[in-house]
Amino acid sequence: MRRNTSIALLAVGHACVDIYQGAVAALIPYFTAERDYTYAVASGIVLAASLLSSVAQPVFGALTDRWAMPWLLPVSTLLAGVGIALSGLSGSYGLTLCFVAVSGVGVAAYHPESARVARLAGEGSHRAMSWFSLGGNIGFALAPLMVSAAIGHGSLHWTPVLVLPALAGTALCVPVLRMLARPRTGTAGAEAPRSADDVASFVKLSLAVVFRSVVFTGLSTFIALHAQQRMQGSTTAGTVALFLLFLGGAVGSLLGGALAHRYGRVRVCRWSCLLSVPAVTGVMYAPGPAVFLFVALTSAGLYVPFSLQVTLGQDYLPSRIGTASGIVLGLTVSIGGLVTPLLGHLADTTDLRTALTLLIAMPALSWLLFRALPEPTAPELRADPPAQAGTARSVPS
């Protein structure tokens, strides 16, 4: 019961934080409409959210390998929400970038520690990690709906309303912290020896995550504008497309956890990447409303490997679980954000569909890398020595 409660609370907290990752993309159409931003300038907002996160997330991961920092869960949740809440209040592009970057740091601080705790709370279970990932997917899916409800009929000055999920997530962290403060014998994971690390495989996995990140972040940034163009300028079409892109991730994450138990993580990741190629092609070229079907298929295909990539990274670097989590989770939202300004510039000089067509190659490159990866054996989560049972490294069972 305690294990299930811990995973459930972590999943809800993950949803509250990832609302703010999805909110950045959901705000792009409002920034372009209200402030007349070009594609390149608007994509710079995504870059601001991603740039600090790409650097900070592995740093926080390395820190959590040395010290458990459960207090980061509520603090980072609040920071992520405050940054987005303030992003629409000033007409200054520089201040907007600053506030969005603050939100990105909050997101970066949250993920390595929460992923480390989720792995140990779920006792290394792929299904437990998929439920934890599901929370983030739900947060992504809710983001465009919440942004539309908050400012869809007003202006960007309503963004302070978007702090509410952060307040709720911060409050929900309290029972998690209480559980972390009550260690139980045999529940804290001992570090594996560094000789067990498979650095070469981890590097290949990280590159595969980069390519997956580029296609997902590129679509999440521009899919609303793309759908609007395909559906005669309907803003509703853009909101629906973004919602489907994020919601399909919920299905993909749970499906990935279930399939991995039967077929293995690497094999499932390999096939999902391969099947994503025609799905992304359909998003670009399917006629009329059929684009929504391909958006959903693309989302599911891109998210089947999501939680599996996290546990694969942790198993390739068993002595540095926090670092592995920070790099894998950080790359999924950060490197793609670094590429989006290039897509935006290309869209400004050609057209949006031409720029997004380049994304079709990304899942194919991920597939090639997964073909070279072995299926690792998950290390057993062993207990810390009794003398360490009351230290900060304790986590829930």
Side-chain angles (χ1 to χ4, degrees), residues 334-386:
S334 302
I335 301 299
L338 303 180
V339 175
T340 49
L342 301 179
L343 292 175
H345 177 71
L346 182 59
D348 286 331
T349 56
T350 57
D351 61 74
L352 186 56
R353 186 164 71 172
T354 298
L356 295 182
T357 297
L358 297 177
L359 299 178
I360 296 172
M362 298 298 108
L365 293 173
S366 291
W367 172 74
L368 289 174
L369 287 162
F370 273 114
R371 282 178 57 85
L373 287 177
E375 179 70 41
T377 300
E380 182 181 355
L381 298 180
R382 301 183 301 275
D384 282 339

Side-chain angles (χ1 to χ4, degrees), residues 49 116 156 166 237 277 298 324 327 356 372:
R116 184 188 69 83
L156 289 169
V277 175
T298 296
I327 292 175
L356 295 182

Side-chain angles (χ1 to χ4, degrees), residues 62 174 179 323:
V174 173
M179 290 181 183
T323 300

Side-chain angles (χ1 to χ4, degrees), residues 53-66:
S53 182
S54 64
V55 176
Q57 204 150 169
V59 172
F60 281 111
L63 290 174
T64 61
D65 280 333
R66 296 195 63 183

Side-chain angles (χ1 to χ4, degrees), residues 321-338:
I321 287 176
T323 300
S325 302
I327 292 175
V328 173
L329 287 170
L331 288 172
T332 61
V333 297
S334 302
I335 301 299
L338 303 180

Side-chain angles (χ1 to χ4, degrees), residues 9-27 49 53 57 72-74 76-82 84 103-115 129-147 162-170 172-173 212 216-217 220 242-243 245-247 249-250 253 303 306-307 310 325 328-334:
L9 290 173
L10 287 167
V12 174
H14 196 185
C16 292
V17 171
D18 276 8
I19 280 177
Y20 299 107
Q21 290 194 64
V24 176
L27 285 167
S53 182
Q57 204 150 169
L72 274 179
L73 273 63
S76 59
T77 301
L78 190 60
L79 195 63
V82 169
I84 292 298
S103 179
V105 171
V107 170
Y110 176 84
H111 280 97
E113 177 68 0
S114 63
M129 187 61 74
S130 69
W131 280 104
F132 169 72
S133 299
L134 173 64
N137 304 149
I138 291 175
F140 263 113
L142 290 176
L145 301 182
M146 295 194 66
V147 168
L162 297 175
V163 78
L164 294 177
L167 298 178
T170 301
L172 288 172
C173 285
R212 182 263 180 202
F216 183 79
T217 309
S220 64
L242 195 58
F243 174 72
L245 181 67
F246 294 160
L247 182 64
S253 289
Y303 261 102
F306 185 71
S307 64
V310 177
S325 302
V328 173
L329 287 170
L331 288 172
T332 61
V333 297
S334 302

Side-chain angles (χ1 to χ4, degrees), residues 180-189 383-395:
L180 292 173
R182 296 197 302 269
R184 292 170 59 184
T185 302
T187 62
D384 282 339
Q388 298 178 355
T391 68
R393 295 288 302 175
S394 300
V395 296

Side-chain angles (χ1 to χ4, degrees), residues 255-283:
L255 186 61
L259 291 175
H261 277 279
R262 183 169 182 179
Y263 300 107
R265 290 169 291 178
V266 172
R267 187 178 181 186
V268 170
C269 291
R270 187 182 302 151
W271 279 105
S272 65
C273 291
L274 188 60
L275 293 174
S276 294
V277 175
V280 176
T281 304
V283 171

